[in-house]
Amino acid sequence: MKKIKARNLHRDLGYFYIGLIVSFAISGLMMNHRDFWHPEKYTTETKNIKVQLPSASEINEKFAEDFGKKLGIDDKFRRHNVKKDVFKISFEKHDVEIDMKTGKGEIVTFSKTPIISQTMKLHKSTSNFWIYYSDIFAISLILIALTGTMMIKARKFSWKNRGWKLALAGVLFPLIFLFLLA
């Protein structure tokens, strides 16, 4: 039986997971900036509205669903909330935002962005198959990282020169952010 070498394992895992690595990287970049734009969907129409709303204490899920129908939205209801005097209703293909004080708001109609919305779904999927596949992928990424440190001419694990400094920085940098954001 042929001996598995770090270089071969690194190369083979890299080739096998190239599609997943690239799609996770691209969708991860987009998810990082989802507060500023919605990469999963694009707006096809925005309609301004002026309505009269009850007090925030009277708004519940049933009210939000019925209110969406009154606005002419025939779509799957997702959720609603009232925050900072803004009433928001989310549907599968529509978003509604209304200022509670003025009654002014808008209905935004959108469509899914092809390919981008599917790759972003990978980050959110909770299917058992995908969870196990993602676990295997995570272990493979660890192997790719570790075998990458062993791919030197002498074929020995080495921390000489700048290798140990870069590895230390690579571990410390995310830890610093974790502690700063916690």
Side-chain angles (χ1 to χ4, degrees):
M1 188 168 159
K2 192 176 177 181
K3 187 172 136 182
I4 297 176
K5 294 180 180 176
R7 183 177 301 278
N8 293 342
L9 184 61
H10 183 85
R11 180 199 61 221
D12 293 348
L13 288 174
Y15 281 141
F16 183 78
Y17 286 113
I18 193 165
L20 198 53
I21 291 168
V22 170
S23 66
F24 262 46
I26 291 170
S27 63
L29 282 168
M30 288 185 267
M31 284 186 71
N32 285 343
H33 302 282
R34 67 185 175 270
D35 288 343
F36 304 106
W37 64 298
H38 298 286
E40 282 185 276
K41 57 189 178 183
Y42 61 93
T43 301
T44 57
E45 179 187 1
T46 301
K47 179 180 167 186
N48 291 320
I49 57 172
K50 179 145 174 58
V51 296
Q52 199 156 12
L53 294 172
S55 67
S57 63
E58 296 178 52
I59 294 177
N60 57 29
E61 189 170 312
K62 174 100 173 84
F63 174 84
E65 277 189 84
D66 293 343
F67 191 72
K69 289 175 185 166
K70 285 180 187 173
L71 292 172
I73 299 172
D74 184 26
D75 199 354
K76 183 181 173 189
F77 175 79
R78 285 191 169 158
R79 65 190 151 273
H80 79 285
N81 70 35
V82 178
K83 270 190 199 165
K84 298 181 181 177
D85 290 327
V86 177
F87 175 40
K88 293 181 182 182
I89 314 173
S90 178
F91 296 90
E92 195 167 291
K93 296 179 183 174
H94 298 83
D95 284 334
V96 179
E97 272 192 36
I98 304 168
D99 183 299
M100 292 289 292
K101 292 177 183 174
T102 65
K104 291 181 181 179
E106 63 182 20
I107 301 171
V108 177
T109 306
F110 56 86
S111 294
K112 298 274 184 192
T113 306
I115 300 170
I116 292 173
S117 66
Q118 286 85 0
T119 58
M120 290 184 73
K121 253 186 182 170
L122 295 176
H123 274 94
K124 302 173 188 177
S125 179
T126 57
S127 82
N128 283 337
F129 167 78
W130 190 251
I131 288 170
Y132 293 128
Y133 185 73
S134 295
D135 289 346
I136 294 167
F137 176 58
I139 292 165
S140 296
L141 284 177
I142 292 167
L143 287 171
I144 290 169
L146 293 176
T147 56
T149 64
M150 296 181 223
M151 292 176 34
I152 58 172
K153 272 190 174 179
R155 296 185 185 168
K156 294 178 189 170
F157 188 73
S158 174
W159 291 96
K160 289 181 181 174
N161 300 325
R162 69 176 186 251
W164 71 272
K165 294 173 190 169
L166 291 170
L168 182 63
V171 171
L172 288 178
F173 197 70
L175 289 176
I176 291 168
F177 274 95
L178 283 174
F179 289 117
L180 288 176
L181 297 174

